[in-house]
Each structure stands twice: as C-alpha cells, then as structure tokens.
Coordinates of all heavy atoms in Angstrom, one line a residue:
M1 N -109.3 -58.4 64.7 CA -108.2 -57.3 64.9 C -108.8 -56.2 65.6 O -109.9 -55.5 65.2 CB -107.7 -57.0 63.4 CG -106.9 -55.8 63.2 SD -106.5 -55.5 61.6 CE -106.5 -56.9 60.5
E2 N -108.3 -55.8 66.7 CA -108.7 -54.7 67.5 C -107.9 -53.3 67.1 O -106.8 -53.3 66.6 CB -108.4 -55.0 69.0 CG -109.0 -56.2 69.4 CD -110.5 -56.2 69.6 OE1 -111.0 -55.1 69.8 OE2 -111.1 -57.2 69.5
E3 N -108.6 -52.2 67.5 CA -108.0 -50.9 67.1 C -106.7 -50.7 67.9 O -105.8 -50.1 67.3 CB -109.0 -49.8 67.4 CG -108.6 -48.5 67.1 CD -108.3 -48.1 65.6 OE1 -108.9 -48.9 64.8 OE2 -107.4 -47.3 65.2
Y4 N -106.7 -51.1 69.1 CA -105.5 -50.9 69.9 C -104.3 -51.7 69.3 O -103.1 -51.2 69.3 CB -105.6 -51.2 71.5 CG -105.6 -52.8 71.7 CD1 -104.4 -53.5 72.0 CD2 -106.8 -53.5 71.6 CE1 -104.5 -54.8 72.2 CE2 -106.8 -54.9 71.9 CZ -105.6 -55.6 72.1 OH -105.6 -56.9 72.4
E5 N -104.5 -52.8 68.7 CA -103.5 -53.6 67.9 C -103.1 -52.8 66.9 O -101.8 -52.8 66.5 CB -104.0 -55.0 67.5 CG -104.3 -55.9 68.6 CD -105.1 -57.2 68.3 OE1 -105.9 -57.1 67.3 OE2 -104.8 -58.1 68.8
I6 N -104.0 -52.3 66.0 CA -103.5 -51.5 64.8 C -102.7 -50.4 65.2 O -101.7 -50.0 64.6 CB -104.8 -51.0 64.0 CG1 -105.6 -52.3 63.4 CG2 -104.4 -50.1 63.0 CD1 -107.0 -51.9 62.9
E7 N -103.1 -49.6 66.2 CA -102.3 -48.4 66.7 C -101.0 -48.9 67.2 O -100.1 -48.1 67.0 CB -103.2 -47.6 67.8 CG -104.4 -47.0 67.3 CD -105.1 -46.4 68.4 OE1 -104.9 -46.4 69.6 OE2 -106.4 -45.9 67.9
A8 N -101.0 -49.9 67.9 CA -99.6 -50.4 68.5 C -98.6 -50.8 67.4 O -97.5 -50.4 67.4 CB -99.7 -51.5 69.5
V9 N -99.1 -51.5 66.4 CA -98.2 -51.9 65.3 C -97.9 -50.7 64.5 O -96.7 -50.6 64.0 CB -99.0 -53.0 64.5 CG1 -98.0 -53.3 63.2 CG2 -99.1 -54.3 65.2
T10 N -98.8 -49.7 64.2 CA -98.5 -48.7 63.4 C -97.4 -47.8 64.3 O -96.4 -47.3 63.6 CB -99.8 -47.7 63.4 OG1 -100.8 -48.4 62.7 CG2 -99.4 -46.4 62.5
K11 N -97.5 -47.8 65.5 CA -96.5 -47.0 66.2 C -95.2 -47.7 66.3 O -94.0 -47.1 66.1 CB -96.9 -46.8 67.8 CG -95.9 -46.0 68.6 CD -96.3 -45.8 70.0 CE -95.3 -45.1 70.9 NZ -94.1 -44.8 70.3
I12 N -95.0 -49.0 66.2 CA -93.8 -49.7 66.2 C -93.2 -49.5 64.8 O -91.9 -49.2 64.7 CB -94.1 -51.3 66.3 CG1 -94.3 -51.6 67.9 CG2 -92.9 -52.1 65.9 CD1 -94.9 -52.9 68.0
L13 N -94.0 -49.5 63.7 CA -93.5 -49.2 62.5 C -93.0 -47.8 62.3 O -91.9 -47.5 61.7 CB -94.5 -49.6 61.4 CG -94.9 -51.0 61.3 CD1 -96.1 -51.2 60.2 CD2 -93.7 -51.9 60.9
A14 N -93.7 -46.9 62.9 CA -93.3 -45.4 62.8 C -92.1 -45.2 63.6 O -91.2 -44.4 63.1 CB -94.5 -44.6 63.4
D15 N -91.8 -45.8 64.8 CA -90.7 -45.7 65.6 C -89.4 -46.2 64.8 O -88.4 -45.7 64.9 CB -90.8 -46.3 66.9 CG -91.8 -45.6 67.9 OD1 -92.2 -44.4 67.5 OD2 -92.0 -46.1 68.9
W16 N -89.7 -47.3 64.2 CA -88.6 -48.0 63.5 C -88.3 -47.3 62.0 O -87.2 -47.0 61.7 CB -88.9 -49.4 63.1 CG -88.2 -50.2 62.2 CD1 -86.6 -50.2 62.1 CD2 -88.4 -51.1 61.1 NE1 -86.2 -51.0 61.2 CE2 -87.3 -51.7 60.6 CE3 -89.7 -51.6 60.8 CZ2 -87.3 -52.6 59.7 CZ3 -89.7 -52.7 59.8 CH2 -88.6 -53.2 59.2
N17 N -89.4 -46.8 61.5 CA -89.3 -46.1 60.2 C -88.3 -46.5 59.1 O -87.3 -46.0 58.9 CB -88.9 -44.6 60.5 CG -89.1 -43.6 59.4 OD1 -89.9 -43.9 58.4 ND2 -88.6 -42.4 59.4
P18 N -88.7 -47.7 58.5 CA -87.7 -48.3 57.6 C -87.6 -47.4 56.3 O -86.7 -47.5 55.5 CB -88.5 -49.5 57.2 CG -89.8 -49.4 57.6 CD -89.9 -48.5 58.7
L19 N -88.6 -46.4 56.1 CA -88.5 -45.6 54.9 C -87.4 -44.4 55.2 O -87.0 -43.8 54.2 CB -89.7 -44.9 54.6 CG -90.8 -45.9 54.1 CD1 -92.2 -45.2 54.0 CD2 -90.3 -46.3 52.7
G20 N -87.0 -44.1 56.3 CA -86.0 -43.1 56.7 C -86.5 -41.7 56.3 O -87.7 -41.3 56.4
D21 N -85.7 -41.0 55.6 CA -86.1 -39.6 55.1 C -87.2 -39.6 54.2 O -87.7 -38.5 53.9 CB -84.7 -38.9 54.6 CG -83.7 -38.7 55.7 OD1 -84.1 -38.7 56.8 OD2 -82.4 -38.5 55.3
R22 N -87.4 -40.7 53.3 CA -88.4 -40.6 52.4 C -89.8 -40.7 53.0 O -90.9 -40.5 52.3 CB -88.3 -41.8 51.4 CG -86.9 -41.7 50.7 CD -86.8 -42.9 49.8 NE -87.2 -44.2 50.4 CZ -87.6 -45.2 49.7 NH1 -87.7 -45.1 48.3 NH2 -87.9 -46.4 50.3
V23 N -90.1 -40.9 54.3 CA -91.4 -41.1 54.8 C -92.3 -40.0 54.6 O -93.5 -40.4 54.4 CB -91.2 -41.3 56.4 CG1 -90.7 -40.0 57.1 CG2 -92.4 -41.9 57.1
K24 N -91.9 -38.7 54.7 CA -92.9 -37.7 54.4 C -93.4 -37.7 53.0 O -94.4 -37.1 52.6 CB -92.3 -36.3 54.9 CG -92.1 -36.3 56.3 CD -91.7 -35.0 56.9 CE -91.6 -35.0 58.3 NZ -91.1 -33.8 59.0
S25 N -92.5 -38.0 52.0 CA -92.9 -38.0 50.6 C -93.8 -39.1 50.3 O -94.3 -39.3 49.2 CB -91.7 -37.8 49.7 OG -90.8 -38.9 49.8
I26 N -93.7 -40.3 51.0 CA -94.3 -41.5 50.7 C -95.7 -41.7 51.4 O -96.7 -42.1 50.7 CB -93.4 -42.7 50.7 CG1 -92.3 -42.5 49.8 CG2 -94.1 -44.0 50.6 CD1 -91.3 -43.7 49.9
L27 N -95.6 -41.5 52.8 CA -96.8 -41.9 53.5 C -97.7 -40.7 53.6 O -97.2 -39.5 53.6 CB -96.4 -42.2 55.0 CG -95.6 -43.7 55.0 CD1 -95.3 -43.8 56.4 CD2 -96.4 -44.7 54.4
D28 N -99.0 -41.0 53.9 CA -99.9 -39.8 54.2 C -100.1 -39.7 55.6 O -99.2 -40.2 56.3 CB -101.3 -40.3 53.5 CG -101.9 -41.6 54.0 OD1 -101.5 -42.0 55.1 OD2 -102.9 -42.1 53.3
D29 N -101.1 -39.1 56.0 CA -101.3 -38.7 57.6 C -101.5 -39.9 58.4 O -101.3 -39.8 59.6 CB -102.5 -37.6 57.6 CG -102.2 -36.3 57.0 OD1 -101.0 -36.0 57.0 OD2 -103.2 -35.6 56.8
D30 N -101.9 -41.0 57.7 CA -102.1 -42.3 58.5 C -100.9 -43.0 58.8 O -100.9 -44.1 59.4 CB -103.1 -43.2 57.9 CG -104.5 -42.7 57.8 OD1 -104.9 -41.8 58.8 OD2 -105.4 -43.1 57.2
G31 N -99.7 -42.6 58.3 CA -98.5 -43.1 58.5 C -98.4 -44.6 58.0 O -98.8 -44.9 56.9
Y32 N -98.0 -45.5 58.8 CA -97.9 -47.0 58.6 C -99.2 -47.7 58.8 O -99.2 -48.9 58.9 CB -96.7 -47.5 59.3 CG -95.3 -47.0 58.8 CD1 -94.7 -46.0 59.5 CD2 -94.7 -47.7 57.7 CE1 -93.5 -45.6 59.0 CE2 -93.4 -47.3 57.2 CZ -92.8 -46.3 57.9 OH -91.6 -45.8 57.5
R33 N -100.2 -47.0 59.0 CA -101.5 -47.8 59.4 C -101.9 -48.9 58.4 O -102.4 -49.9 58.9 CB -102.6 -46.7 59.6 CG -103.9 -47.4 60.1 CD -104.9 -46.3 60.3 NE -106.3 -46.9 60.7 CZ -106.7 -47.3 61.8 NH1 -105.8 -47.1 62.9 NH2 -107.8 -47.9 62.1
T34 N -101.9 -48.6 57.1 CA -102.2 -49.6 56.2 C -101.5 -50.8 56.3 O -101.9 -51.9 56.3 CB -102.2 -49.0 54.7 OG1 -103.1 -47.9 54.6 CG2 -102.6 -50.1 53.7
E35 N -100.2 -50.6 56.4 CA -99.2 -51.7 56.5 C -99.5 -52.4 57.8 O -99.3 -53.8 57.9 CB -97.7 -51.2 56.5 CG -97.4 -50.7 55.0 CD -98.0 -49.4 54.6 OE1 -98.3 -48.5 55.5 OE2 -98.4 -49.2 53.5
A36 N -99.7 -51.8 58.9 CA -100.1 -52.4 60.1 C -101.2 -53.4 60.0 O -101.2 -54.4 60.5 CB -100.3 -51.3 61.2
I37 N -102.3 -52.9 59.3 CA -103.5 -53.6 59.1 C -103.1 -54.9 58.3 O -103.6 -56.0 58.7 CB -104.6 -52.8 58.6 CG1 -105.0 -51.7 59.5 CG2 -105.7 -53.7 58.0 CD1 -106.0 -50.6 58.9
D38 N -102.4 -54.7 57.3 CA -101.9 -55.8 56.5 C -101.2 -56.8 57.2 O -101.4 -58.3 57.1 CB -101.1 -55.4 55.3 CG -102.0 -54.7 54.2 OD1 -103.1 -54.7 54.3 OD2 -101.3 -54.0 53.4
I39 N -100.3 -56.4 58.1 CA -99.4 -57.3 58.8 C -100.3 -58.1 59.9 O -100.2 -59.3 60.0 CB -98.3 -56.6 59.7 CG1 -97.3 -56.1 58.8 CG2 -97.8 -57.3 60.9 CD1 -96.3 -55.0 59.4
L40 N -101.2 -57.4 60.5 CA -102.2 -58.1 61.5 C -103.0 -59.1 60.8 O -103.3 -60.1 61.3 CB -102.9 -57.0 62.2 CG -102.1 -56.2 63.2 CD1 -103.0 -55.0 63.8 CD2 -101.7 -57.1 64.5
F41 N -103.6 -58.7 59.6 CA -104.2 -59.6 58.8 C -103.6 -61.0 58.5 O -104.1 -62.0 58.8 CB -104.9 -59.0 57.5 CG -105.5 -59.8 56.5 CD1 -106.8 -60.2 56.8 CD2 -104.9 -60.5 55.5 CE1 -107.6 -61.0 56.0 CE2 -105.6 -61.2 54.7 CZ -107.0 -61.5 54.9
Y42 N -102.4 -60.7 57.9 CA -101.7 -62.0 57.6 C -101.2 -62.8 58.8 O -101.2 -64.1 58.9 CB -100.4 -61.7 56.7 CG -100.9 -61.4 55.3 CD1 -101.0 -60.1 54.9 CD2 -101.2 -62.5 54.5 CE1 -101.5 -59.9 53.5 CE2 -101.8 -62.2 53.2 CZ -101.9 -60.9 52.7 OH -102.2 -60.8 51.5
L43 N -100.9 -62.1 60.0 CA -100.5 -62.8 61.1 C -101.7 -63.7 61.7 O -101.5 -64.8 62.2 CB -100.1 -61.9 62.3 CG -98.7 -61.2 62.1 CD1 -98.4 -60.2 63.2 CD2 -97.7 -62.4 62.1
N44 N -103.0 -63.1 61.6 CA -104.2 -63.8 62.0 C -104.3 -65.1 61.1 O -104.7 -66.2 61.6 CB -105.3 -63.1 61.9 CG -105.5 -62.0 63.0 OD1 -105.0 -62.2 64.1 ND2 -106.1 -60.9 62.7
M45 N -103.9 -65.1 59.9 CA -104.0 -66.3 59.0 C -102.8 -67.2 59.2 O -103.0 -68.4 59.2 CB -104.0 -65.9 57.5 CG -105.3 -65.1 57.2 SD -105.3 -64.6 55.5 CE -104.3 -65.6 54.6
E46 N -101.6 -66.7 59.4 CA -100.3 -67.6 59.4 C -99.7 -67.9 60.8 O -98.9 -68.8 60.8 CB -99.3 -67.0 58.5 CG -99.7 -66.9 57.0 CD -98.8 -66.5 56.1 OE1 -97.6 -66.7 56.3 OE2 -99.2 -65.8 55.0
G47 N -100.0 -67.1 61.8 CA -99.6 -67.2 63.0 C -98.3 -66.4 63.5 O -97.5 -65.9 62.6
L48 N -98.1 -66.3 64.6 CA -97.0 -65.4 65.2 C -95.6 -65.9 64.8 O -94.7 -65.2 64.7 CB -97.1 -65.2 66.7 CG -98.2 -64.4 67.2 CD1 -98.2 -64.2 68.7 CD2 -98.2 -62.9 66.6
S49 N -95.5 -67.2 64.5 CA -94.2 -67.8 64.2 C -93.6 -67.2 62.8 O -92.6 -67.3 62.4 CB -94.2 -69.2 64.1 OG -95.1 -69.7 63.0
Q50 N -94.6 -66.6 62.1 CA -94.1 -65.9 60.8 C -94.0 -64.5 60.8 O -94.0 -63.8 59.8 CB -95.3 -66.2 59.8 CG -95.4 -67.8 59.5 CD -94.1 -68.5 58.9 OE1 -93.5 -67.9 58.1 NE2 -93.7 -69.6 59.5
T51 N -94.0 -63.8 62.0 CA -94.1 -62.3 62.1 C -93.0 -61.7 61.4 O -93.1 -60.8 60.6 CB -94.0 -62.0 63.6 OG1 -95.1 -62.6 64.4 CG2 -94.2 -60.5 63.7
T52 N -91.7 -62.2 61.4 CA -90.6 -61.5 60.8 C -90.7 -61.6 59.3 O -90.5 -60.6 58.6 CB -89.3 -62.2 61.2 OG1 -89.1 -62.1 62.6 CG2 -88.1 -61.5 60.5
K53 N -91.1 -62.8 58.8 CA -91.4 -62.9 57.3 C -92.5 -62.0 56.8 O -92.3 -61.4 55.8 CB -91.7 -64.4 57.1 CG -92.0 -64.6 55.6 CD -92.4 -66.2 55.6 CE -93.2 -66.5 54.2 NZ -94.5 -66.7 54.4
I54 N -93.5 -61.9 57.6 CA -94.7 -61.1 57.1 C -94.4 -59.6 57.2 O -94.7 -58.9 56.2 CB -95.9 -61.3 58.0 CG1 -96.5 -62.8 57.6 CG2 -96.9 -60.3 57.9 CD1 -97.4 -63.4 58.7
V55 N -93.7 -59.2 58.2 CA -93.2 -57.8 58.3 C -92.3 -57.5 57.2 O -92.5 -56.5 56.4 CB -92.6 -57.5 59.6 CG1 -91.9 -56.1 59.6 CG2 -93.5 -57.5 60.7
M56 N -91.4 -58.3 56.9 CA -90.4 -58.1 55.7 C -91.1 -58.0 54.4 O -91.1 -57.2 53.6 CB -89.4 -59.2 55.7 CG -88.3 -59.0 54.7 SD -87.3 -60.6 54.6 CE -88.4 -61.8 53.7
E57 N -92.1 -59.1 54.2 CA -92.7 -59.1 52.8 C -93.6 -58.0 52.6 O -93.7 -57.4 51.5 CB -93.5 -60.4 52.7 CG -92.5 -61.7 52.5 CD -93.3 -62.9 52.4 OE1 -94.5 -63.0 52.8 OE2 -92.5 -64.0 52.2
I58 N -94.4 -57.5 53.5 CA -95.4 -56.4 53.4 C -94.7 -55.2 53.3 O -95.0 -54.5 52.3 CB -96.3 -56.5 54.6 CG1 -97.3 -57.6 54.5 CG2 -97.1 -55.1 54.7 CD1 -98.4 -57.8 55.5
L59 N -93.7 -54.9 54.0 CA -92.8 -53.6 53.7 C -92.1 -53.6 52.5 O -92.1 -52.6 51.9 CB -92.1 -53.3 55.0 CG -92.8 -53.1 56.4 CD1 -91.9 -52.9 57.5 CD2 -93.7 -51.8 56.1
N60 N -91.5 -54.6 52.1 CA -90.8 -54.7 50.8 C -91.7 -54.4 49.7 O -91.4 -53.8 48.9 CB -90.0 -56.1 50.8 CG -88.7 -56.0 51.6 OD1 -88.3 -55.0 51.9 ND2 -88.2 -57.2 51.8
E61 N -92.8 -55.1 49.7 CA -93.8 -55.0 48.7 C -94.3 -53.6 48.6 O -94.6 -52.8 47.6 CB -94.9 -56.1 48.7 CG -95.8 -56.0 47.6 CD -96.8 -57.2 47.7 OE1 -96.6 -58.3 48.1 OE2 -98.1 -56.8 47.3
A62 N -94.8 -53.1 49.7 CA -95.6 -51.8 49.8 C -94.6 -50.6 49.4 O -95.2 -49.7 48.7 CB -96.1 -51.5 51.2
F63 N -93.4 -50.7 49.7 CA -92.5 -49.6 49.5 C -91.3 -49.9 48.6 O -90.4 -49.1 48.5 CB -92.0 -49.1 50.8 CG -93.1 -48.7 51.7 CD1 -93.2 -49.4 53.0 CD2 -93.9 -47.7 51.4 CE1 -94.3 -49.0 53.8 CE2 -95.0 -47.4 52.3 CZ -95.2 -48.0 53.5
D64 N -91.4 -51.1 47.9 CA -90.2 -51.3 47.1 C -88.9 -51.3 47.7 O -87.9 -50.7 47.3 CB -90.3 -50.6 45.8 CG -89.3 -51.2 44.6 OD1 -89.3 -52.4 44.7 OD2 -88.7 -50.4 43.8
L65 N -88.9 -52.0 48.9 CA -87.6 -52.0 49.7 C -87.0 -53.4 49.5 O -87.5 -54.2 49.0 CB -88.0 -51.8 51.2 CG -88.6 -50.4 51.5 CD1 -89.1 -50.3 53.1 CD2 -87.5 -49.3 51.3
S66 N -85.9 -53.4 50.1 CA -85.1 -54.8 50.1 C -84.7 -55.1 51.6 O -83.6 -55.3 51.8 CB -83.8 -54.6 49.3 OG -84.3 -54.4 47.9
L67 N -85.7 -55.0 52.5 CA -85.3 -55.4 53.9 C -85.0 -56.9 54.0 O -85.8 -57.6 53.4 CB -86.5 -54.9 54.8 CG -86.8 -53.5 54.8 CD1 -88.1 -53.3 55.5 CD2 -85.8 -52.7 55.5
S68 N -84.1 -57.2 54.9 CA -83.8 -58.6 55.2 C -84.5 -59.1 56.5 O -85.2 -58.2 57.2 CB -82.3 -58.8 55.5 OG -81.9 -58.2 56.6
K69 N -84.6 -60.3 56.6 CA -85.2 -60.8 58.0 C -84.6 -60.2 59.2 O -85.2 -59.9 60.2 CB -85.2 -62.2 58.0 CG -86.3 -63.0 57.1 CD -86.5 -64.4 57.4 CE -87.6 -65.1 56.4 NZ -87.6 -66.4 56.7
D70 N -83.3 -60.0 59.2 CA -82.5 -59.5 60.2 C -82.9 -58.2 60.6 O -83.1 -57.8 61.7 CB -80.9 -59.6 59.9 CG -80.4 -61.0 60.2 OD1 -81.0 -61.8 60.7 OD2 -79.2 -61.2 59.5
E71 N -83.0 -57.3 59.5 CA -83.5 -55.9 59.7 C -85.0 -55.8 60.2 O -85.3 -54.9 60.9 CB -83.4 -55.2 58.3 CG -82.0 -55.0 57.8 CD -82.0 -54.4 56.4 OE1 -82.6 -55.0 55.6 OE2 -81.4 -53.4 56.2
C72 N -85.7 -56.9 60.0 CA -87.1 -56.8 60.5 C -87.4 -57.5 61.9 O -88.4 -57.3 62.4 CB -88.0 -57.4 59.4 SG -88.0 -56.5 57.8
S73 N -86.3 -58.1 62.3 CA -86.5 -59.0 63.6 C -86.9 -58.2 64.8 O -87.7 -58.6 65.6 CB -85.2 -59.9 63.8 OG -84.1 -59.1 64.1
V74 N -86.2 -57.0 65.0 CA -86.6 -56.2 66.2 C -88.0 -55.8 66.2 O -88.8 -56.1 67.2 CB -85.5 -55.0 66.5 CG1 -86.1 -54.3 67.5 CG2 -84.1 -55.7 66.8
P75 N -88.5 -55.1 65.1 CA -89.9 -54.7 65.2 C -90.8 -55.9 65.1 O -91.9 -55.8 65.7 CB -90.1 -53.7 64.0 CG -89.0 -54.0 63.1 CD -87.8 -54.5 64.0
A76 N -90.5 -56.9 64.4 CA -91.3 -58.2 64.4 C -91.4 -58.7 65.8 O -92.6 -59.1 66.2 CB -90.7 -59.3 63.5
N77 N -90.4 -58.7 66.6 CA -90.5 -59.3 68.0 C -91.4 -58.4 68.8 O -92.1 -58.9 69.6 CB -89.1 -59.3 68.6 CG -88.4 -60.5 68.1 OD1 -88.9 -61.4 67.5 ND2 -87.0 -60.4 68.0
K78 N -91.3 -57.1 68.7 CA -92.2 -56.1 69.3 C -93.6 -56.3 69.0 O -94.5 -56.3 70.0 CB -91.7 -54.6 69.2 CG -90.5 -54.4 69.8 CD -90.1 -52.8 69.3 CE -88.7 -52.5 69.9 NZ -88.4 -51.1 69.5
I79 N -94.0 -56.6 67.8 CA -95.3 -56.9 67.3 C -95.8 -58.2 68.0 O -96.8 -58.2 68.5 CB -95.4 -56.8 65.8 CG1 -95.1 -55.5 65.2 CG2 -96.6 -57.5 65.3 CD1 -94.9 -55.4 63.8
S80 N -94.9 -59.2 67.9 CA -95.1 -60.5 68.5 C -95.6 -60.4 70.0 O -96.6 -61.0 70.4 CB -94.1 -61.5 68.3 OG -94.1 -61.8 67.0
N81 N -94.8 -59.5 70.7 CA -95.0 -59.4 72.2 C -96.3 -58.7 72.4 O -97.0 -59.1 73.4 CB -93.8 -58.6 72.7 CG -92.6 -59.3 72.9 OD1 -92.6 -60.6 72.8 ND2 -91.5 -58.7 72.8
I82 N -96.7 -57.7 71.5 CA -98.1 -57.2 71.8 C -99.2 -58.1 71.6 O -100.1 -58.1 72.4 CB -98.1 -55.8 70.9 CG1 -97.3 -54.7 71.4 CG2 -99.6 -55.4 70.8 CD1 -97.2 -53.6 70.4
L83 N -99.0 -58.9 70.5 CA -100.2 -59.7 70.2 C -100.2 -60.9 71.3 O -101.2 -61.5 71.6 CB -100.0 -60.3 68.8 CG -100.1 -59.2 67.8 CD1 -99.9 -59.8 66.4 CD2 -101.4 -58.4 67.8
R84 N -99.1 -61.3 71.8 CA -99.1 -62.4 72.8 C -99.7 -61.9 74.1 O -100.3 -62.7 74.8 CB -97.5 -62.8 73.2 CG -97.0 -63.8 72.1 CD -95.8 -64.3 72.6 NE -95.2 -65.1 71.4 CZ -94.2 -64.7 70.8 NH1 -93.6 -63.5 71.0 NH2 -93.8 -65.4 69.7
K85 N -99.5 -60.6 74.4 CA -100.2 -60.2 75.7 C -101.7 -60.2 75.6 O -102.4 -60.2 76.7 CB -99.7 -58.7 75.9 CG -98.3 -58.6 76.4 CD -97.8 -57.1 76.5 CE -96.4 -57.0 77.0 NZ -96.0 -55.6 76.9
K86 N -102.2 -60.1 74.4 CA -103.7 -60.0 74.3 C -104.3 -61.5 74.7 O -105.4 -61.6 75.1 CB -104.2 -59.7 73.0 CG -104.6 -60.6 72.1 CD -105.1 -60.1 70.6 CE -105.7 -61.2 69.9 NZ -106.2 -60.8 68.6
N87 N -103.5 -62.6 74.5 CA -104.0 -64.0 74.6 C -103.9 -64.3 76.0 O -103.3 -64.1 76.9 CB -103.2 -64.8 73.7 CG -103.6 -64.6 72.3 OD1 -104.6 -64.1 72.1 ND2 -102.6 -64.8 71.4

C-alpha cells in the first residue's frame, strides 16, 4: 500500500463525506485516513471486485452507519479506478 493510494482514498471518502454534518464531531485531523487504510488493506486481500462491499462494511462498522451498496457504489468505483491505474 502506497502513500499516494492512502491519500487518494482518503480524499474520495472526504469528498463523499458519508458522515455529513457529524464529520467534525467524529473525525480527528486525519479525516478518513484510518478508514482508507482499512479499505486498502482488505482490497489487497479480497480484490477489486469486492470494493463496494468493503467500503460499505468498513464505514458502517467504523461509524455505526447503515449505508447500502448502492450508496457506496460511486466512491467504490472511484477507488477501484485509482487502484487499477497503478497496475
């Protein structure tokens, strides 16, 4: 996992901001960095075909959300596109 990948995924999650107005009261100065690292870790194990599922599960677990696969599909596709470019 490369630093530029972590930064790119963190930015995708921040731009999407599934926490909405609660973001400032929940996240620290690193924003979604921890979740980005978790997503990249599991993608390395399970593969890009699982991106939507992994994004949904990590964010739902981390923040006690109820995101659906449909809600996670756009950011998941952006993440997949970034990781495909590296190969």
Side-chain angles (χ1 to χ4, degrees):
M1 165 180 344
E2 302 287 334
E3 183 61 31
Y4 77 90
E5 295 171 322
I6 296 169
E7 290 175 9
V9 174
T10 301
K11 181 173 180 352
I12 290 168
L13 296 176
D15 290 346
W16 175 36
N17 190 22
L19 288 172
D21 294 338
R22 300 182 311 152
V23 70
K24 290 184 180 180
S25 64
I26 294 176
L27 294 180
D28 58 17
D29 291 338
D30 285 342
Y32 289 98
R33 184 178 173 84
T34 300
E35 292 70 34
I37 292 169
D38 290 347
I39 288 167
L40 290 166
F41 173 79
Y42 283 101
L43 285 175
N44 284 333
M45 290 177 27
E46 297 185 31
L48 290 178
S49 65
Q50 299 296 315
T51 305
T52 302
K53 175 183 163 250
I54 290 168
V55 168
M56 180 188 73
E57 289 177 352
I58 289 189
L59 294 176
N60 283 343
E61 183 177 323
F63 303 118
D64 195 30
L65 298 173
S66 299
L67 298 168
S68 69
K69 283 187 175 181
D70 285 343
E71 292 172 301
C72 297
S73 65
V74 171
N77 286 335
K78 291 178 181 179
I79 291 168
S80 293
N81 288 338
I82 285 171
L83 297 178
R84 280 189 189 104
K85 287 179 185 175
K86 107 177 181 178
N87 294 329

